[in-house]
Amino acid sequence: MLRRQSGRAVIWHLAVLPEYRKRHIAAFLWAEVKERLTAKGIRYCEVWTQEDEAANRWYLAQGFRNIKDRNWLRCYARPSRTDWFLNRANVGEIYGVEEMIFEVTPSRRDEVAEYCYRIDEVRLYAQKL
């Protein structure tokens, strides 16, 4: 069961179409959202990002801070290398793995890199309002 935490919010999407970027629209949207959140008694806001460095820089510029101990890696295993992750005795007879996605801490990037065709770092940014 999830416990509702009052005074907290999560941004799921904040985006500006490419043809409207560089006009400070995102900053305007965030200022408006922040005003509405504080009017509702929200005092903390967080957002999760992935491999979008421009977005990561933008959140930092808006006063968010990266909560590094909550970051994690989403790893997409190469089908030919999934045996390294699977205990065949536990799984039983299977005919192969088409897609395997798993999560690990960022400190394990070098350890799992050779087994993955893609790794996205998922980052938590937070701000007290």
Side-chain angles (χ1 to χ4, degrees):
M1 177 193 270
L2 293 175
R3 192 177 82 216
R4 185 176 181 184
Q5 295 180 328
S6 63
R8 302 169 71 90
V10 176
I11 296 174
W12 287 101
H13 303 285
L14 176 66
V16 176
L17 292 170
E19 59 267 28
Y20 296 102
R21 292 182 185 157
K22 307 284 186 202
R23 297 182 189 180
H24 306 286
I25 294 171
F28 171 79
L29 289 171
W30 171 237
E32 181 67 24
V33 167
K34 191 160 56 168
E35 186 177 309
R36 291 181 186 201
L37 290 173
T38 55
K40 292 182 179 277
I42 303 297
R43 299 290 176 250
Y44 172 89
C45 186
E46 65 183 33
V47 61
W48 293 87
T49 69
Q50 289 188 59
E51 296 293 316
D52 186 340
E53 291 306 319
N56 292 318
R57 285 190 306 273
W58 186 86
Y59 283 110
L60 290 171
Q62 301 309 307
F64 284 83
R65 64 184 181 89
N66 180 219
I67 314 298
K68 292 185 180 190
D69 64 339
R70 299 270 312 276
N71 294 354
W72 49 277
L73 301 177
R74 177 177 290 128
C75 305
Y76 299 79
R78 290 186 175 90
S80 63
R81 304 302 301 267
T82 56
D83 282 348
W84 189 74
F85 300 101
L86 296 175
N87 179 334
R88 294 290 180 168
N90 291 337
V91 175
E93 184 179 346
I94 60 174
Y95 297 108
V97 177
E98 285 187 40
E99 179 99 292
M100 181 175 164
I101 302 169
F102 62 94
E103 300 162 358
V104 297
T105 61
S107 63
R108 294 188 64 196
R109 181 184 289 268
D110 290 342
E111 177 187 354
V112 300
E114 71 178 279
Y115 301 98
C116 302
Y117 66 89
R118 175 178 164 186
I119 298 175
D120 294 330
E121 184 170 353
V122 181
R123 300 174 188 165
L124 172 62
Y125 290 92
Q127 183 178 127
K128 291 181 181 177
L129 306 178

